[in-house]
Amino acid sequence: DGHGRGNVADASTREQSWQKPGGSLLRRLDVFLSEPLRRSPPEELGRLRMLVLITLVLVLLDGLTIGFLPVSPQPWLHGFVVALSLGLYAGALRLLRWHANVETAAMMVCSTIGLMLVFMASTSQWPYSASHAASMLLPALSVYLLGPRRGFFITLPVSLFIALVHPLRFTVFGTLTGAPAVQVWMLDTSAAFCMVGSWAVSWLHSSARDLAYQAREQALRTLSESEHKLNALIENTDDQVCSLDLQGRLIVANSAMRRAYRERFGREPLPGEPILS
């Protein structure tokens, strides 16, 4: 049926993706997914692999951060936060591997990224730390992994922190005055605006992708329904109908054709055998 053909097509698509360059990497990422998640449709499977890859990269970054803890101005505080983030990332991978809980795992990863950005900007003595380019990754990843609405609720608090709290720390409650203070306000406000803009662009892209996916699914359903109606019409007609390849070998035959063949030769025709000879 149509559902069965869809599963076969999905499996074929996954098999072809493994044969392409980088296919072995995709198989290694699948190790972190439960068996039900590995059978997800190709588009969803790609999102799951992206989630796993992002989490592993973040784990690697935390591992590198541990190497710099001896020269950190607050090694115990930074060590505790890094250990906490590692625990959250490990928990997300465990949810994907053993519980197939995608939404919770994605929420844990995106929330941890946001908390780490806020923490690093709060403890850094560099006044321009909040306008780092890494903060632009949060809205794009959160929209891709969680959707526009949840991505907005993760992006908004971080952008407000960057636009208001961080510059207040170095100007009103700090020592920066004059041109440096104005520069910090401009940079932080611009960074926050860009974060919200990145969320909006990701939302528009996600919406366009969802519309395209829905249109494709509707086209496939329409095609499947038309195919089912055509098959029913051919099967129920009294005319003998069959389909042959270029070598005259049988592909498919309706019931009337099979019945006539059985009456003439004492058996039904087999797919792949010559009919015209």
Side-chain angles (χ1 to χ4, degrees):
D1 56 5
H3 180 68
R5 286 193 298 272
N7 288 338
V8 172
D10 291 346
S12 176
T13 301
R14 289 194 292 268
E15 185 65 28
Q16 292 174 5
S17 69
W18 288 359
Q19 296 173 357
K20 295 178 181 179
S24 59
L25 173 61
L26 298 181
R27 289 197 296 273
R28 291 188 177 92
L29 294 177
D30 289 348
V31 171
F32 296 92
L33 300 176
S34 64
E35 189 60 32
L37 293 181
R38 295 178 194 176
R39 295 194 296 266
S40 301
E43 186 170 349
E44 177 66 15
L45 185 59
R47 188 171 71 97
L48 294 171
R49 287 168 173 168
M50 178 63 73
L51 175 57
V52 171
L53 181 61
I54 291 169
T55 306
L56 293 177
V57 170
L58 293 171
V59 169
L60 177 62
L61 290 176
D62 279 350
L64 295 175
T65 303
I66 292 176
F68 290 97
L69 286 179
V71 296
S72 171
Q74 299 173 299
W76 292 106
L77 178 60
H78 285 84
F80 171 77
V81 173
V82 170
L84 179 62
S85 65
L86 281 173
L88 291 172
Y89 296 145
L93 292 175
R94 180 177 178 81
L95 287 175
L96 292 173
R97 183 64 182 89
W98 300 108
H99 302 284
N101 195 331
V102 179
E103 297 302 326
T104 303
M107 180 64 73
M108 289 174 63
V109 172
C110 293
S111 299
T112 303
I113 295 175
L115 291 174
M116 290 296 291
L117 289 173
V118 171
F119 170 78
M120 298 304 294
S122 300
T123 58
S124 175
Q125 300 303 314
W126 188 45
Y128 310 112
S129 58
S131 56
H132 195 278
S135 60
M136 297 300 108
L137 294 175
L138 178 62
L141 291 178
S142 60
V143 171
Y144 179 70
L145 297 176
L146 292 169
R149 179 170 298 184
R150 294 181 181 178
F152 178 75
F153 286 114
I154 290 179
T155 302
L156 182 62
V158 179
S159 61
L160 290 177
F161 170 84
I162 293 176
L164 299 175
V165 179
H166 186 264
L168 284 173
R169 174 192 167 206
F170 286 95
T171 57
V172 176
F173 302 105
T175 58
L176 289 182
T177 58
V182 173
Q183 187 178 38
V184 168
W185 276 100
M186 291 179 60
L187 288 174
D188 286 354
T189 304
S190 299
F193 179 80
C194 289
M195 285 190 68
V196 177
S198 177
W199 169 84
V201 171
S202 301
W203 168 47
L204 292 175
H205 178 268
S206 176
S207 299
R209 185 186 61 209
D210 291 342
L211 289 175
Y213 177 78
Q214 293 172 6
R216 185 181 65 184
E217 289 296 308
Q218 180 62 38
L220 290 175
R221 283 195 297 268
T222 302
L223 180 62
S224 178
E225 292 172 359
S226 300
E227 182 182 1
H228 179 73
K229 293 177 181 178
L230 179 61
N231 289 337
L233 178 63
I234 294 175
E235 186 67 22
N236 294 324
T237 183
D238 292 331
D239 296 328
Q240 300 176 26
V241 181
C242 67
S243 176
L244 306 177
D245 62 15
L246 295 178
Q247 285 73 39
R249 293 173 297 193
L250 179 66
I251 298 176
V252 65
N254 69 342
S255 57
M257 177 68 181
R258 294 194 303 271
R259 183 171 57 253
Y261 194 95
R262 186 171 57 250
E263 292 174 354
R264 181 177 179 84
F265 298 102
R267 63 178 181 85
E268 290 193 358
L270 299 176
E273 70 175 356
I275 296 296
L276 301 179
S277 59

